[in-house]
Amino acid sequence: MIIGQVIGSVFSTRKSEKLIGNKFMIVRPEKSMKADGNDLVAIDIIGAGIGEKVLVAEGSAARIGCDMKDAPVDAAIVGIIDEGQELSD
Amino acid sequence: MIIGQVIGSVFSTRKSEKLIGNKFMIVRPEKSMKADGNDLVAIDIIGAGIGEKVLVAEGSAARIGCDMKDAPVDAAIVGIIDEGQELSD
Amino acid sequence: MIIGQVIGSVFSTRKSEKLIGNKFMIVRPEKSMKADGNDLVAIDIIGAGIGEKVLVAEGSAARIGCDMKDAPVDAAIVGIIDEGQELSD
Amino acid sequence: MIIGQVIGSVFSTRKSEKLIGNKFMIVRPEKSMKADGNDLVAIDIIGAGIGEKVLVAEGSAARIGCDMKDAPVDAAIVGIIDEGQELSD
Amino acid sequence: MIIGQVIGSVFSTRKSEKLIGNKFMIVRPEKSMKADGNDLVAIDIIGAGIGEKVLVAEGSAARIGCDMKDAPVDAAIVGIIDEGQELSD
């Protein structure tokens, strides 16, 4: 998993019907986790807000681990990092 | 998932028979999403046009989430981004 | 998927018995698709020749989509790009 | 798999209920294994301590290989590297 | 798959019991295959020696294709490249 910050969300009206009801959050990985230029779009099963630091699972873990095994989802916010923790940036 | 722009399509006459009937779109990821030099080829289940910004799912999510679980597909356009949204580039 | 050019093949006499009968082609991705230094080895279910531009599927799509679900294969040539098409390089 | 050093851990109170009971360790890959800026968060099924060098499995291997096949987990510490071994850095 | 050279091995006494009996080989990918700084650890089902050039499968292909479907393994040596072949470096 990686840790990143929710920097926004994005809307898609015309989409796979399996994605209906999901929010698409844009997550910017911590600098220590990924080089620049690697934001990703993740669904959010936790209810994260803009600016919060979150734990993101990628690949089949996102799909299967979030009970969406038949949906075209490859990244999901699966936890919110507790505040006040130092992450090595 | 990542967001990118459809910049073209490509034709393949000699291909896996499991791919027959699919369009192969060339998608250029947003600069904030991927470093330069990472265009990818995705099937399109939504009907995106050249120039549109799209949501792309990669890996087994593309195959299974698009009801093509037995096909050699590792990327799919699964949504079209609504116009007028600011993406942090 | 990505598009690349078949630049050679490689032989392996001592290998997993599940790989017997397969050709291992070396594919060099288009510059627009991957940064330098990212050639990969793919099995070929289509019959591509040296110099041809091909469509390559990676990950579980290669294995499952090419009816080799029990074989240690993570990349496969699944189509040959029709000649005369301009790819944005 | 890659080898890295456990450099810390991180807490998440609001998280997927499938993740309850897991420790999230921050692992910094060996320089020879990954370029800078690629720390990752892995669950730990072995009981590694800060500073120890560990073997990390990624992708579906982490989830399925650690008996958490329904959890949103994409990286796991699956071994502790014996001390005194030279790793080519 | 990628081609790399076996440059060493590594021992782990405290590890997942599903990994018992496996050798962990350190493989350095060919320069044409991966940029610097991308060595990986692979199990070896073929019996490769230090210095030999090998074919490595990654992801679920390593686990499933090597009859270790329940083990936390994401890379495996699945063939030894015949000597005397020119690889484009």
Side-chain angles (χ1 to χ4, degrees), chain B residues 7 9-19 23-24 26-28 36-43 59-60 63-64 69-76, chain C residues 1-3 30-35 45-49 52 55-62 64-67 78-82 85-89:
Chain B
I7 61 166
S9 62
V10 71
F11 293 88
S12 168
T13 304
R14 295 159 58 198
K15 60 176 175 289
S16 161
E17 60 181 19
K18 294 174 181 172
L19 293 173
K23 284 178 75 176
F24 303 108
I26 301 180
V27 179
R28 176 156 295 169
D36 287 344
N38 279 295
D39 292 356
L40 52 85
V41 179
I43 61 158
S60 58
R63 190 168 44 84
I64 294 168
K69 72 181 175 55
D70 295 321
V73 161
D74 63 16
Chain C
M1 289 77 72
I2 58 162
I3 295 170
E30 292 288 293
K31 272 211 175 67
S32 57
M33 300 264 157
K34 291 253 187 173
I45 64 165
I46 305 294
E52 284 192 299
L55 191 63
V56 176
E58 296 179 88
S60 58
I64 294 168
C66 297
D67 298 320
V78 297
I80 296 173
I81 301 300
D82 293 356
Q85 294 182 88
E86 209 177 309
L87 302 170
S88 54
D89 236 19

Side-chain angles (χ1 to χ4, degrees), chain D residues 1-3 30-35 45-49 52 55-62 64-67 78-82 85-89, chain E residues 7 9-19 23-24 26-28 36-43 59-60 63-64 69-76:
Chain D
M1 289 76 73
I2 58 163
I3 294 170
E30 293 288 295
K31 273 212 175 66
S32 57
M33 299 264 157
K34 291 254 187 174
I45 62 165
I46 306 294
E52 283 193 298
L55 191 64
V56 176
E58 295 179 89
S60 59
I64 294 168
C66 297
D67 297 321
V78 298
I80 295 173
I81 302 300
D82 293 355
Q85 294 181 87
E86 209 176 311
L87 301 171
S88 55
D89 237 14
Chain E
I7 62 165
S9 62
V10 71
F11 293 89
S12 169
T13 302
R14 293 160 58 199
K15 60 176 176 289
S16 162
E17 60 181 18
K18 293 175 181 171
L19 292 173
K23 285 177 74 174
F24 303 108
I26 301 179
V27 178
R28 175 157 295 170
D36 289 344
N38 280 292
D39 293 356
L40 51 85
V41 179
I43 61 157
S60 58
R63 191 167 44 84
I64 294 168
K69 74 180 172 56
D70 295 321
V73 161
D74 63 17

Side-chain angles (χ1 to χ4, degrees), chain A:
Chain A
M1 289 77 71
I2 58 164
I3 294 169
Q5 188 172 29
V6 179
I7 61 166
S9 62
V10 72
F11 293 88
S12 169
T13 303
R14 293 160 59 199
K15 60 177 177 286
S16 162
E17 60 181 19
K18 294 175 181 172
L19 292 173
I20 292 172
N22 283 287
K23 285 177 75 174
F24 303 108
M25 310 305 279
I26 301 179
V27 179
R28 175 156 294 169
E30 293 288 294
K31 272 211 175 66
S32 58
M33 300 264 156
K34 291 255 187 174
D36 288 344
N38 279 293
D39 292 356
L40 51 85
V41 179
I43 60 157
D44 179 13
I45 63 165
I46 305 294
I50 306 284
E52 284 193 299
K53 300 234 168 169
V54 294
L55 190 64
V56 176
E58 294 178 90
S60 58
R63 191 167 43 84
I64 294 168
C66 297
D67 297 321
M68 299 183 66
K69 73 181 173 54
D70 296 322
V73 161
D74 64 15
I77 294 173
V78 298
I80 295 173
I81 302 300
D82 293 356
E83 278 184 41
Q85 294 182 87
E86 210 176 310
L87 301 170
S88 54
D89 236 17

